[in-house]
Structures are given as C-alpha cells and as structure tokens.
Amino acid sequence: MDAREDILFRVRVALGRTDANRPAAAADVQAAFAARSQGPRPQLGADLLARFRHESGVQSSSVDEVATLDEVPAAVARYLAERQLPQRAVVWPKYAALPWAQAGLAVEARAAQGDDAVGITGCFCAIAETGTLMTCSAPDTPAATSLLPETHIAIVPLSRIVAGMEDGWALARAELGELPRAVNFISGPSRTGDIEQTIVIGAHGPYRVHLILVRDC
Amino acid sequence: MRSQAMFFKARVGDKLADRVLQENLGKAKSKFVDARARAVAEYERDEGADFEALREAGKEIRNRTLANLDVWLETFEAKATERGGQVMYARDGAEICRLVTEIAQRHGVNKVVKSKSMLSEEAALNQALAAAGIQPIETDLGEYILQINDNEPPSHIIAPAFHKSKEQVAELFMRTHGSSKKSGIEEMTREARETLRGHFLSATMGISGGNFLIAETGSVSLVTNEGNGRMVTTLPKVHVVITGIEKVIPTLEDFATLMRLLPRSATGQHISNYVSVLTGVKGADELDGPEHLYFILVDNGRASLVGTEFQEMLRCIRCGACMNHCPVYQTVGGHAYGWVYPGPMGSVLTPLYTGIANALDLPHAATLCGQCSVVCPVKIPLPELLRGLREKQVEMDLRPWSERIALRLWGWVARRPKLYALATKIGVRYLNWLADGTDRIQVLGVAPEWTRGRDFPAPEGRTFRELYAERRTGQGR
Ligand code: SF4
C-alpha cells in the first residue's frame, strides 16, 4: 500500500469510519466553512487608531502620520535623513508613481535584492489589536521588499485599519476572492531570543520598521 | 533521530552534575514563565477578553479536526492541490528523507535552507541530505548554533539552544566563522545574520515545518520572529513543507483564534513578528515566491494515537509552555529526555511514538504537580496522560520486579489497618531520627539514590492517623 492510503486507512479504522457515517463528517466540514465562526476575541472599542499606534510601539515599530499619499516621499526622506540612512530605496511597484524624486530619493520599483538597504511597501490592511501589518503578495506588491532590507518603511492608510485578524480575512475574501500566494502578518522588526532568551532586534529581517499613517486615502 | 530515552536516569545524573548547564538553566528558567504570565494578564485587560475562554476555544478547534481527521486531510489535500501544491505522505522518518532527497534531486538542488522543523529532527533529515551530497543549512539562530556544534540535538522546541550560554556560543562562532571572538549577543546575532544571508540568497530549495494546515484554503502557516521562515519560503524556487498529519485546522477564523493563544503561551508575545499564511505557488507575473510547492504530511506514530485515550495529545500546538513550567525540565534541561521532544509533552510523545518499552522512565519524570495542564493552550491533560502511560507499563509487565514486590507488599500491609498503623508509626520515628531534629533528611537510609540531588522533607512528628485519633477523642489541640 502506498503511504497515503496506508495512513488514511489507519486513521479511518481508528475513527470507525463507515460509509454510513461519512456524510456526517463531510457535513461537519461544510458547516465549518459555511459558518466561519469566530472564537472569543477582545472588544477594542471605537478608537482603533489609538490602539494601533500603541501596539505598534509595543512591537518596536516607529510611527509617523501625514495627510495624503503625495506627502509620503518627503516623510520617508526625513526619516532616512534623521537616521543617517542612504536616500535610496526599493518600492512596491504599486507605489512607483509617488513623487519620490521630488523628495530627493532614488527609488526603484522592483523586487528587493539582498543588498538593498531600504524597502518601501504598503499593506493590505493593518490590525489594531496587535499593531500588525497584513500584506498580500501580488505582481505589484512583492513579499521580499518587507523582508530583505535592513529598514522597512510601510504606508498605512487610516481607512485600512481594522480591529483583528478576522477582519483582515473578511476583507481579503471580499476584495481578493481567494488568498494570494503569501499573506504576511508583520509586527515590528525581526528579532530573536535564541541566545540566553535575551531579545535582540534584527535577526534575518529588518532592524527597523517605520509606519507612515496616511489620513486621506 | 534515534531515541536515547531509555538512558534517562543516567543522563539526569550527568545533567544535575553539569555545573555550566545548571547555571544556564537557572538563568533562563523564569524568563518564559514570567513573559507568559504578563501576556495573559495584558490580554485580559481588554473588554471581553478571557484567556480561559480562549483556551477552551483552542481545544474545540483542535478536537473538531481530530474527530474526523481523514475527511479534513482529504479536504486540505484537495484545496492545496487545486492551488498548485503537491501533497505527499510519509509513514516514518526514512520516508521523509527519501521524499525530500528525491525532490531535491529532481530540481537539481545542492543546497537547502531550513527553518525550524521538529519533524526533520524526528527523521534526522540533515544527515540524510548530507549523505546524498545536498548541503542543509539550519537558519533559525538556535538551530544554526546546534548545527555548527556537530549537529547537537535541540533541548527546547521553541528555543533549541536553551541550554547554551552566550560564552559557549561566542566560542562556537569564533571556531566556525574564523572571526574574532564576540562578547555581546547583538554582535553575535549580526554575525550569524551575515553568514546566513549568503545561504538564503544562493539556496534553491527551502524546507519549513508548518504550525498549521488550513483546510479551507489549502494553506500552511508559519510563525517566526527571526524572519527565516519567510526567507526560506520566499527566495528559493522550491519550497517543501514537512508537517504532521494532525496539524490541520478548519478555517482562517480558527487560525486567528489559535494565533491569540500560541505566541502568548510560547514566548509571551501578543503576536510573533512574522506570521505567514502561504497558499500555492508563485503566479506568472509575480516577482518572488517559489515555483514548486510540496507538502509532506507525516504519520511517524501519530495515526496510532487516533481513537485512543491518548488522542488528546494530538491537539498539541508545540508552544513549549508545558516544559517552561515543568520543575523537572527546569532542573535537568531538554537533553535528558533523549529524543526530539522534551518536558511533559515529550514524556507523553516519546513513549507513544518510539515505543512504551523504550522510554520507561519518562512517564515517571514528573511530579504530577499539574502546572503543565494549567498552562497548556489547548488544555491537554498531560498529568493524566502520563498516569495512563504508567498504567500501560504495569499492564505490559514492564515495571522492575523490585517495584512490583514493593507495591504488592505495600498493598498487603495497607489492607491490615493495625499492621499499617504500626508500620507507619515506626517509619515516621525512623525518618525523624534520620532528620536529627531538622526539617529535612540529607541521606535517606533505605533509598540513598533518592537524596543524591535533593533533600527529603522530614515528617512532622507523628502520623496522620495518630493525630486524627487524638482529635477524635478530644485530646487534641
Ligand atoms: S502540550 Fe500543550 S503546553 Fe505543551 S507544547 Fe503542546 S500545546 Fe504547548
């Protein structure tokens, strides 16, 4: 017997699977998919923005806020200058058209490579409960941009802040239909506690995550 | 990995005598415990947030799929296949090694980057890959430290190098990287980052475990803090997921619930830095992501738990809370347990997966204090399962003759109240004499082994029965 048949056979025997009780099992699967019932979750109140800002801080992300998308490049330039980082970045193709050059930034719209220092992305939505970005991969939103560079800057429209992960899934189902290849939930810079359980920021991913909230977009 | 669980007692002796290890364990032990307690308290600050209700929900989610595991697996398989993944099954470690090696050869792979996969430890996959001329690179910092220390086994499922001090790591890095010796943890982490970056960029295949398989969407989820899980599933052109058949859950909503439990129970974080839900292969116009995706769903003992009194163990979401809170684990560390999984969950899994007769001491390596089941996010009754394994040992006649005779003798005496009263009276007097006026006994005359690494508490003067009789007749205090 091949491994698949063998394993499934043993599971079926152990569960007492018969032709008679199989429909009930299949019905339970369908019922779960139809209901998509949510587990217990915290009630966050009305001010999701305040919560998102607070939790982002807990996750060691820094936060800035601007009025419109067009103001983002200047905010990026300011952030990089303050930290004496190079005024050069890769950006999601989705945001290629923002006035980067005007702000004095050399920006390329492509997937990030190993030696890119700064990556600029947006997000599919942002989750207030934990200060988390939810990103969805697509041709104009590649996953590596938020991962390879030492500095990750993310554009977060206020209109895309939701309460919890469940709300992110609901948005994804409504707007994308099926899930993209990669949904990444990102909560601050990468870290490790593997040596003496001492938390160190900057493991394999970014050392810094900077969020630029955008009011009108 | 070959189990060494039969040598538990001998290893415990070594571990207790290992001064460096004892110091390292002492430093680490309260960190996870405190972090979890803080995270649970912080969670409950929100309106309507009750961690107990969350644990109950976690248990129900896991029970739901286990109750019809065959149908849920088929559902996952159909969905994952529809999205371009290829689902395979492996009965044991040898089959995992064969499948992974074949996949690597099919795609002309000579270097593999791995994020943490306990199943690949069960299978000793690294050794098999190396033997086939394929270089495996562990990329979780803890796993990497162990790999460069001659493939040392992990001692904790969340923090594999839990038992190592930073001095030991510094030594190891200097030897392996040929660099100057670092003293700070930050510098060492950067050195590892720079070493591993090159491997991420050049490897053509990534291997990961899977925290959950989501039936609704045919996805695998990965939870990491370092970002290595994302690296190995974004950059190489082939991604192989190796995970147990029990990991399937119904929906994305269920995943959201479990993600409120897992990081808090594991490291005390509200959420881990990177949580990925990966579905299918790279689209034609996409700039990154793997072109080939394989799932290897593994039995290796799991199916034999289904439908038994031990099925509850399959709910485990590998958070490590039970070992963090276990007084035995805190004292002897993970290596003493002799196989992949340490602590209470390991003491249940190792005998069940590798044979009850091959791990006789593990179900006894517990004080049954119950703390593990209090913190378990999916409410696994670990002490009861340990007791069940002890019963199995007795049923299978696996206990030593001395223990069997002692128990029979005890049973004989206990059924004769007068004799029992006399025996306990003498026993208590004897123990008090040994304690010599103090509250503890340093060398227990009849069982000196017992007091080799600890003291025996001295009884408080007289037996319970004596005190009780005194009260009944109204002469007591
Ligand atoms: S048995 Fe429970 S506490 Fe232990 S690792 Fe598994 S889920 Fe966590």
Side-chain angles (χ1 to χ4, degrees):
Chain A
M1 226 188 302
D2 84 337
R4 177 184 187 278
E5 279 315 306
D6 189 12
I7 293 169
L8 286 176
F9 173 77
R10 281 184 291 125
V11 172
R12 287 186 194 117
V13 170
L15 291 173
R17 177 70 61 229
T18 60
D19 286 346
N21 64 26
R22 203 186 151 84
D28 186 55
V29 173
Q30 290 317 315
F33 292 170
R36 286 172 183 155
S37 54
Q38 299 184 3
R41 51 184 289 202
Q43 304 306 310
L44 301 190
D47 197 350
L48 293 184
L49 173 59
R51 176 63 175 252
F52 180 74
R53 278 178 165 276
H54 174 79
E55 293 292 332
S56 296
V58 172
Q59 298 299 332
S60 311
S61 301
S62 53
V63 183
D64 192 3
E65 188 173 323
V66 298
T68 65
L69 262 186
D70 281 346
E71 292 173 28
V72 167
V76 171
R78 217 164 40 234
Y79 173 83
L80 294 176
E82 275 164 17
R83 279 159 191 76
Q84 288 161 347
L85 294 167
Q87 300 275 325
R88 167 184 299 282
V90 280
V91 67
W92 268 2
K94 178 178 173 176
Y95 289 116
L98 295 189
W100 302 109
Q102 264 176 13
L105 291 166
V107 158
E108 289 177 69
R110 53 169 171 78
Q113 288 156 7
D115 48 4
D116 288 317
V118 180
I120 304 171
T121 74
C123 62
F124 177 73
C125 68
I127 294 166
E129 184 181 333
T130 48
T132 299
L133 302 173
M134 174 175 174
T135 65
C136 292
S137 69
D140 63 346
T141 58
T145 317
S146 60
L147 181 64
L148 289 173
E150 289 197 3
T151 302
H152 172 206
I153 300 177
I155 302 169
V156 183
L158 292 194
S159 60
R160 302 295 289 183
I161 297 180
V162 299
M165 189 187 277
E166 289 89 343
D167 308 297
W169 293 131
L171 267 188
R173 288 194 188 104
E175 296 176 7
L176 307 176
E178 65 177 10
L179 289 189
R181 183 195 70 78
V183 177
N184 285 304
F185 295 92
I186 302 168
S187 308
S190 70
R191 69 197 67 194
T192 179
D194 273 357
I195 304 177
E196 291 191 356
Q197 278 57 62
T198 301
I199 307 295
V200 174
I201 297 277
H204 295 303
Y207 280 79
R208 310 165 200 89
V209 172
H210 182 60
L211 309 178
I212 302 181
L213 306 176
V214 184
R215 279 192 293 277
D216 305 317
C217 88
Chain B
M1 179 178 166
R2 245 198 133 99
S3 172
Q4 305 286 320
M6 57 287 263
F7 306 123
F8 180 76
K9 272 197 188 144
R11 285 180 167 227
V12 162
D14 295 348
K15 299 301 170 195
L16 290 174
D18 183 339
R19 294 263 294 281
V20 180
L21 175 73
Q22 287 300 323
E23 209 173 291
N24 296 349
L25 288 173
K27 268 191 278 187
K29 77 177 173 195
S30 64
K31 288 194 180 170
F32 279 139
V33 173
D34 295 346
R36 177 192 175 276
R38 208 177 315 119
V40 170
E42 283 169 5
Y43 176 73
E44 296 193 330
R45 277 203 306 244
D46 277 320
E47 191 123 354
D50 171 10
F51 204 71
E52 272 312 297
L54 207 52
R55 288 175 68 223
E56 191 59 38
K59 170 183 166 181
E60 290 307 318
I61 291 169
R62 300 293 294 119
N63 277 349
R64 185 172 196 167
T65 41
L66 292 173
N68 291 303
L69 186 59
D70 54 340
V71 178
W72 283 104
L73 277 170
E74 288 164 343
T75 309
F76 169 80
E77 191 183 332
K79 208 55 208 170
T81 310
E82 191 185 303
R83 289 295 306 263
Q86 200 172 321
V87 181
M88 309 172 175
Y89 288 78
R91 271 173 286 227
D92 53 25
E95 289 194 349
I96 297 177
C97 295
R98 183 173 52 75
L99 287 173
V100 175
T101 310
E102 278 170 13
I103 294 168
Q105 284 164 347
R106 186 174 325 143
H107 294 286
V109 170
N110 50 30
K111 189 200 294 186
V112 168
V113 277
K114 292 177 67 199
S115 77
K116 197 164 54 193
S117 153
M118 283 294 148
L119 256 163
S120 79
E121 299 281 346
E122 286 183 39
L125 178 62
N126 285 357
Q127 288 82 331
L129 286 172
I134 302 157
Q135 186 189 7
I137 310 277
E138 294 288 351
T139 65
D140 173 88
L141 179 57
E143 291 278 357
Y144 174 71
I145 290 167
L146 300 181
Q147 186 182 29
I148 61 175
N149 194 30
D150 206 12
N151 283 312
E152 189 183 352
S155 70
H156 190 286
I157 59 172
I158 297 293
F162 192 74
H163 58 289
K164 286 244 176 303
S165 68
K166 65 170 191 241
E167 288 76 24
Q168 291 171 317
V169 177
E171 214 34 68
L172 208 51
F173 276 15
M174 185 178 71
R175 242 191 297 140
T176 313
H177 301 153
S179 53
S180 62
K181 189 164 167 180
K182 308 285 184 298
S183 58
I185 295 176
E186 285 189 30
E187 293 168 277
M188 287 186 245
T189 305
R190 181 166 275 274
E191 188 171 304
R193 173 191 168 105
E194 277 157 14
T195 309
L196 288 167
R197 193 43 91 91
H199 292 303
F200 284 128
L201 295 170
S202 59
T204 40
M205 180 162 132
I207 295 179
S208 73
N211 290 83
F212 300 105
L213 300 170
I214 303 167
E216 176 193 358
T217 52
S219 317
V220 60
S221 74
L222 288 182
V223 180
T224 74
N225 281 312
E226 298 182 3
N228 59 322
R230 288 190 61 196
M231 291 279 185
V232 308
T233 60
T234 306
L235 304 176
K237 68 172 192 214
V238 184
H239 174 201
V240 181
V241 179
I242 308 175
T243 195
I245 53 171
E246 82 282 19
K247 289 293 182 70
V248 57
I249 59 170
T251 64
L252 295 169
E253 278 71 14
D254 294 326
F255 177 67
T257 300
L258 290 164
M259 283 313 299
R260 288 192 179 91
L261 283 166
L262 176 58
R264 289 183 174 90
S265 302
T267 52
Q269 290 170 284
H270 299 181
I271 188 160
S272 307
N273 281 84
Y274 299 109
V275 176
S276 303
V277 174
L278 306 169
T279 317
V281 294
K282 162 184 189 286
D285 308 326
E286 276 190 81
L287 301 176
D288 50 27
E291 293 158 31
H292 307 277
L293 172 64
Y294 298 89
F295 291 93
I296 300 179
L297 307 186
V298 185
D299 173 10
N300 211 29
R302 288 155 179 78
S304 65
L305 270 58
V306 176
T308 71
E309 59 185 302
F310 300 107
Q311 174 170 318
E312 295 193 82
M313 195 58 224
L314 294 177
R315 286 205 297 269
C316 176
I317 60 173
R318 305 287 191 265
C319 71
C322 55
M323 59 199 73
N324 295 338
H325 291 76
C326 176
V328 176
Y329 178 92
Q330 288 174 353
T331 311
V332 300
H335 283 160
Y337 294 80
W339 196 51
V340 180
Y341 303 105
M345 54 86 84
S347 293
V348 176
L349 283 177
T350 305
L352 290 174
Y353 287 180
T354 68
I356 290 180
N358 298 325
L360 287 180
D361 292 327
L362 293 190
H364 298 269
T367 64
L368 301 187
C369 70
Q371 196 54 25
C372 48
S373 63
V374 171
V375 296
C376 176
V378 285
K379 294 192 154 183
I380 298 173
L382 290 151
E384 266 138 71
L385 299 181
L386 289 169
R387 223 170 329 200
L389 283 165
R390 293 180 184 185
E391 278 167 23
K392 279 252 146 39
Q393 291 183 0
V394 174
E395 281 165 24
M396 293 164 73
D397 265 346
L398 291 169
R399 299 308 304 162
W401 63 268
S402 54
E403 184 182 304
R404 278 185 286 177
I405 289 181
L407 278 174
R408 199 159 306 156
L409 192 66
W410 180 86
W412 189 82
V413 175
R415 268 177 282 131
R416 289 163 179 77
K418 290 237 169 66
L419 184 59
Y420 186 82
L422 182 68
T424 49
K425 217 164 159 177
I426 296 172
V428 163
R429 302 294 184 279
Y430 169 65
L431 291 174
N432 278 329
W433 175 73
L434 279 181
D436 198 16
T438 64
D439 63 348
R440 49 194 56 243
I441 298 162
Q442 270 155 22
V443 182
L444 198 56
V446 287
E449 277 293 293
W450 205 96
T451 42
R452 207 145 55 91
R454 59 195 158 175
D455 291 342
F456 189 85
E460 293 268 332
R462 283 172 298 163
T463 69
F464 172 78
R465 290 163 59 110
E466 286 176 276
L467 296 172
Y468 186 70
E470 212 171 85
R471 281 223 175 163
R472 280 285 290 261
T473 54
Q475 296 166 346
R477 275 172 282 169

